[in-house]
Amino acid sequence: MAEIIEFETDRLRLRQWLATDREPFAALNADPRVMEFFPATLDRATSDAMADYCEALIAERGWGFWAAEVKDSGQFIGFIGLHTPSSELPFSPCIEIGWRLAFKHWGIGLASEAARGALQVGFELLNLPEIVSFT
């Protein structure tokens, strides 16, 4: 078990996952707008398994796709963070930066704000030589 890294931005708290995150995470994973460029929306069981996996990786390594919540309200809005893709990619091995936010939180700079914080963690705390993003 690693020491869990959590951090804040101006508007968000990036933290380890909680059991209460599962329901809103399932809702955003079932939203066709959020999942437009993925193979399919996720059912509740698949969404919960993904949240469990994200939580387990953070517990193991201390970092990963952190649960994102709005600081003012404590509302869970999705995930933002760093991940080692399991797919074989032309640029593997790598660490990616990624995010998935509930649709109502799009377009106000939250992903960019938290991504800057995740990049800072990756480069300054984890001393990663490179972080990629891909679609």
Side-chain angles (χ1 to χ4, degrees):
M1 293 283 266
E3 182 177 337
I4 294 176
I5 298 168
E6 297 180 319
F7 65 96
E8 294 185 0
T9 67
D10 289 343
R11 298 177 287 173
L12 297 174
R13 180 173 296 109
L14 287 295
R15 57 161 173 78
Q16 177 59 295
W17 291 71
L18 304 172
T20 54
D21 299 330
R22 300 313 193 263
E23 185 174 336
F25 189 54
L28 74 89
N29 284 322
D31 185 337
R33 298 167 297 185
V34 173
M35 301 300 287
E36 179 179 3
F37 298 104
F38 290 88
T41 57
L42 303 182
D43 63 24
R44 177 63 189 259
T46 306
S47 179
D48 285 353
M50 183 178 186
D52 292 343
Y53 181 66
C54 291
E55 182 179 357
L57 286 176
I58 292 172
E60 178 184 315
R61 299 184 304 205
W63 55 273
F65 282 146
W66 291 281
E69 72 175 40
V70 177
K71 282 177 18 178
D72 290 345
S73 67
Q75 180 184 18
F76 171 89
I77 64 167
F79 70 71
I80 302 161
L82 305 170
H83 182 69
T84 305
S86 57
S87 300
E88 186 62 36
L89 303 167
F91 42 85
S92 292
C94 63
I95 303 294
E96 71 166 310
I97 187 164
W99 51 87
R100 188 177 304 170
L101 298 180
F103 182 77
K104 78 178 222 173
H105 299 283
W106 288 13
I108 56 174
L110 293 174
S112 298
E113 179 181 316
R116 283 189 294 277
L119 288 171
Q120 185 174 11
V121 167
F123 289 127
E124 295 178 14
L125 285 177
L126 303 175
N127 296 311
L128 297 173
E130 177 181 65
I131 299 171
V132 302
S133 183
F134 60 91
T135 58

